[in-house]
């Protein structure tokens, strides 16, 4: 069916949106479609009315676009205008057209329109939403930048405070040491006793060593270069070692540190140095904030882990303090007297090391009552190594032992520092070693080829050949050329492989028998060289029976524990009887368990003369020789009578 053209034309004219301007001579005629008038909501009889309904900016735009299009009709011109009648706004997209009609070739400018009010409203909403989002994002970025700035400022303030503290903590003891050196020198010239001054100097050195170790460990954790070096270690020796390190600081402050070890086994596989560092930092922190009373340390063996608890009777902490204690450079205010190792790094290092060992740490504290730190470290039980009866198992944890041990060895020291040479030479000669020295790697290599040495200490960074190169040459020699050689040790101030690499030296640490970090102690030398204990320090029962040591035994017991001596005598006497009973029954496992318990108590009371006998009995391979065991038990009873 064909559509009627007239009908179709009328429908398009009435139902579509359009307007037109017809120019006839000097006059202009305007017409708007019924549909457009209906949509706008008003009659539009002429061009002036049409313009009046347009929004001001739309009216200006329409006249401008119309004039431009009349001169350049080839341009495809589309633009948006808005009509506002009362409160109603209608938005139309206009497309201009130019036509010619009539006998006078009059021009007709007309526009077809598309109503986009809903689209325009949606676009406005989108723009508004986007604007709000942009503003919110800018505000969030501004807030984040503000927080970052505050954090950076806080970190800067903390580190500035830390550097100021560090300067004070390092400078003050060094100045004091300088003054004490002068005092000791004058007393020596006047033949006066300088023992107290030397003790003060040693305490100062220990405090500096704690501080430097904390700084080095923190630097290693910051650069991710800290590494665990697990070995088999004995739990009771760990307790002795930590007790020795912290004893002087506690004594100086007039408080006690008590140890208790409860474990079915004595040997574990872990990083002894890092476990010791955790313990020392926790104990030093407890000492720092304790004015009256003391610090109690308990180490227990649980299922596949060690539990360390350090409690104190100090000032305690509130909730605010607890949130910040593991942050580096943070120091809680102490009302407990002078600060000792106040780096603000101790607990941060503890937390880092515990995490490195896949452990856990918990803190309980009450303001004005005290604090309890609990650390759980996964730890594998190992069999204790068989010890030579002539070698003291824990000699590397003792101090001032040059009169008790002897090392009859030929030793070569290679170090370009005359001070380091002198210290190491003094330690070795006090132990009975014969010492030869080299000032660089080349000289060390020449000396080694000419003389048969038992042990060699090589500084890593030396002129000529470095320590690693000398060691490689020694290892490359045939066995018959180094038949006396028992060990080659690296001496270094570097604590990590990264620090060594920064020297420009590539090192395979496995070529050395031991990697020894400076400063080296005489205790460490005794351990490295397996020095033999002199008979005078062993359990020479006859000599000990003849000497009355009651006064020295009591003097060794911490003052705060001396009132408990009667209870110690009573409980130890009962344990001696239990040993005798188990001896008759042939129950060696029970004997070792009782001796282990006795050893823990004696460690707490610091009675080395008696402790050595108990430790030696515990390490005996067998208790078949009953007369020997009974003789030792009688000696223990004699010592207890002297205490009682």
């Amino acid at each position: 069916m064909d559509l009627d053209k007239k009908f179709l034309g009328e429908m398009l004219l009435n139902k579509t949106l359009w307007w037109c301007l017809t120019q006839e001579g000097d006059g202009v005629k305007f017409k708007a479609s019924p549909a457009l008038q209906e949509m706008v909501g008003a009659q539009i009889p002429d061009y002036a009315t049409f313009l009046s309904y347009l929004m001001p900016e739309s009216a200006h735009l329409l006249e401008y676009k119309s004039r431009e299009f009349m001169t350049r009709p080839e341009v495809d011109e589309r633009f948006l205008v808005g009509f506002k009648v009362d409160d109603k706004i209608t938005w139309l997209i206009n497309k201009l057209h130019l036509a010619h009609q009539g006998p006078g070739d009059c021009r007709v400018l007309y526009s077809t329109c598309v109503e986009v009010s809903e689209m325009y409203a949606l676009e406005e909403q989108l723009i508004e939403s986007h604007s709000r989002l942009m503003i919110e994002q800018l505000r969030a970025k501004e807030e984040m930048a503000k927080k970052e700035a505050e954090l950076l400022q806080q970190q800067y303030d903390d580190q500035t405070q830390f550097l100021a503290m560090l300067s004070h903590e390092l400078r003050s003891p060094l100045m004091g040491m300088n003054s004490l050196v002068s005092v000791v020198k004058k007393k020596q010239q006047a033949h006066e006793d300088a023992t107290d001054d030397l003790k003060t100097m040693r305490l100062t050195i220990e405090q500096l060593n704690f501080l430097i170790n904390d700084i080095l460990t923190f630097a290693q954790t910051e650069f991710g270069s800290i590494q665990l070096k697990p070995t088999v270690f004995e739990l009771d020796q760990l307790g002795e070692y930590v007790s020795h390190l912290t004893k002087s600081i506690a004594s100086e402050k007039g408080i006690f540190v008590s140890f208790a070890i409860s474990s079915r086994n004595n040997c574990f596989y872990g990083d002894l140095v890092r476990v010791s560092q955790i313990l020392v930092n926790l104990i030093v922190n407890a000492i720092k904030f304790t004015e009256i009373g003391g610090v109690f340390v308990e180490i227990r063996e649980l299922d596949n882990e060690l539990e360390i608890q350090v409690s104190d009777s100090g000032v305690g902490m509130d909730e605010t303090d607890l949130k910040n204690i593991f942050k580096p450079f943070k120091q809680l205010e102490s009302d407990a007297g002078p600060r000792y190792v106040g780096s603000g790094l101790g607990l941060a290092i503890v937390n880092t090391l515990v995490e490195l060992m896949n452990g856990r740490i918990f803190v309980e504290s009450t303001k004005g009552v005290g604090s309890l730190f609990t650390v759980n470290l996964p730890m594998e039980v190992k069999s204790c190594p068989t010890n030579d009866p002539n070698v003291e198992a824990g000699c590397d944890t003792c101090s001032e032992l040059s009169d008790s041990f002897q090392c009859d060895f030929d030793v070569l020291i290679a170090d370009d520092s005359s001070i380091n040479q002198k210290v190491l030479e003094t330690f070795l000669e006090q132990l009975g070693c014969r010492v030869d020295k080299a000032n660089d790697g080349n000289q060390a290599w020449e000396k080694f080829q000419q003389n048969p040495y038992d042990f060699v200490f090589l500084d890593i960074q030396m002129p000529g050949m470095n320590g690693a190169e000398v060691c490689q040459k020694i290892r490359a020699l045939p066995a018959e050329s180094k038949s006396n050689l028992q060990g080659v040790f690296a001496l270094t101030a570097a604590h990590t492989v990264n620090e060594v690499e920064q020297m420009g030296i590539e090192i395979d640490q496995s070529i050395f028998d031991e990697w020894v970090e400076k400063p080296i102690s005489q205790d460490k030398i005794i351990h490295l060289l397996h020095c033999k204990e002199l008979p005078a320090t062993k359990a020479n029962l006859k000599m000990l029976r003849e000497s009355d040591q009651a006064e020295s035994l009591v003097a060794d017991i911490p003052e705060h524990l001396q009132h408990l001596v009667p209870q110690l005598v009573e409980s130890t006497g009962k344990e001696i009887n239990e040993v005798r009973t188990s001896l008759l029954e042939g129950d060696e496992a029970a004997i070792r368990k009782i001796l282990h318990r006795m050893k823990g108590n004696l460690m707490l009371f610091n009675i080395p003369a008696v402790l050595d006998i108990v430790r030696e009995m515990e390490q005996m391979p067998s208790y078949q020789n009953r007369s020997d065991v009974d003789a030792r038990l009688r000696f223990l009873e004699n010592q207890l009578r002297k205490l009682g």
Side-chain angles (χ1 to χ4, degrees), residues 157-332:
D157 292 342
D158 289 343
Q159 293 190 26
T160 301
Q161 183 181 359
F162 169 72
L163 290 174
M165 177 283 306
L166 186 60
S167 174
H168 174 269
E169 293 288 341
L170 290 174
R171 186 173 61 249
S172 297
L174 289 174
M175 291 173 64
M177 288 274 288
N178 186 52
S179 301
L180 282 172
V181 168
S182 301
V183 170
V184 171
K185 185 177 180 180
K186 290 179 181 178
K187 286 188 175 182
Q188 186 181 29
Q189 292 172 347
H191 302 288
E192 298 177 5
D193 184 18
T195 303
D196 291 339
D197 300 301
L198 292 172
K199 286 182 179 178
T200 302
M201 291 174 68
R202 176 156 189 167
L203 174 64
T204 304
I205 292 170
E206 288 176 352
Q207 293 171 359
L208 281 171
N209 192 39
F210 285 140
L211 178 60
I212 292 169
N213 283 339
D214 277 354
I215 296 169
L216 288 173
T217 302
F218 179 73
Q220 292 169 17
T221 59
E222 284 292 285
F223 291 99
S225 60
I226 190 169
Q227 295 178 345
L228 296 178
K229 298 178 181 178
T231 58
V232 177
F233 67 90
E234 296 186 26
L235 197 58
D236 56 350
Q237 292 175 18
L238 168 67
E240 281 188 82
Y241 177 61
V242 173
S243 175
H244 165 67
L245 287 179
T246 55
K247 180 180 178 181
S248 56
I249 295 180
S251 299
E252 182 72 10
K253 197 169 181 184
I255 63 176
F256 68 87
V257 177
S258 297
F259 279 80
I261 298 177
S262 176
S263 173
R264 299 184 301 274
N265 302 282
N266 191 38
C267 290
F268 296 85
Y269 186 71
D271 191 326
L272 176 61
V273 173
R274 299 306 180 188
V275 176
S276 301
Q277 197 169 8
I278 289 172
L279 260 171
V280 168
N281 273 303
L282 287 176
I283 294 170
V284 170
N285 181 75
I287 293 171
K288 173 183 172 183
F289 289 96
T290 301
E291 184 177 9
I292 299 173
V295 178
F296 184 72
V297 182
E298 186 173 5
I299 305 175
R300 289 197 297 265
E301 178 189 355
L302 303 179
D303 292 336
N304 299 316
E305 67 179 16
L306 285 180
E307 182 177 81
I308 299 169
Q309 288 193 324
V310 178
S311 57
D312 62 65
S313 56
V315 296
M317 294 174 284
D318 56 25
E319 289 298 324
T320 303
D321 293 335
L322 289 172
K323 291 178 181 177
N324 297 316
I325 57 173
F326 293 123
K327 294 179 180 178
F329 312 121
K330 291 293 183 181
Q331 290 182 304
L332 306 182

Side-chain angles (χ1 to χ4, degrees), residues 504-555:
I505 303 173
E506 293 185 4
I507 292 181
D508 178 9
Q509 294 189 27
S510 65
I511 66 175
F512 292 97
D513 293 288
E514 190 88 19
W515 186 266
V516 183
E517 296 176 359
K518 297 178 182 178
I520 190 169
S521 65
Q522 194 173 58
D523 311 337
K524 184 67 174 177
I525 294 171
I526 292 170
H527 174 64
L528 292 174
L529 274 56
H530 301 288
C531 301
K532 294 183 178 181
E533 192 175 5
L534 294 174
T537 63
K538 297 298 282 184
N540 189 324
L541 303 182
K542 182 178 179 181
M543 292 178 63
L544 286 172
R545 288 194 195 100
E546 292 173 353
S547 60
D548 185 2
Q549 296 182 339
E551 183 177 346
S552 62
L553 288 176
V554 176

Side-chain angles (χ1 to χ4, degrees), residues 55 63 84 169 176 212 216 265 271 288 295 299 303 314 319 388 406 416 428 460 492 570 578 623 640:
M55 298 177 72
E63 289 193 298
K84 185 175 183 180
E169 293 288 341
I212 292 169
L216 288 173
N265 302 282
D271 191 326
K288 173 183 172 183
V295 178
I299 305 175
D303 292 336
E319 289 298 324
D388 185 330
Q406 188 174 38
D416 59 326
L428 288 165
I460 290 300
T492 176
E570 182 182 356
E578 290 176 12
Y623 301 103
L640 290 174

Side-chain angles (χ1 to χ4, degrees), residues 455-475:
F455 293 96
V456 178
F457 288 87
L458 295 172
D459 183 33
I460 290 300
Q461 193 173 25
M462 291 188 293
M465 287 190 290
N466 61 49
E469 291 169 336
V470 176
C471 186
Q472 287 172 342
K473 284 183 171 290
I474 292 174
R475 297 302 187 197

Side-chain angles (χ1 to χ4, degrees), residues 7-18 33-36 38-39 113:
F7 169 77
L8 183 61
E10 289 179 356
M11 184 178 70
L12 289 174
L13 288 174
N14 293 326
K15 299 297 182 182
T16 58
L17 304 175
W18 56 268
S33 71
L36 177 61
E38 182 181 352
M39 178 168 290
C113 305

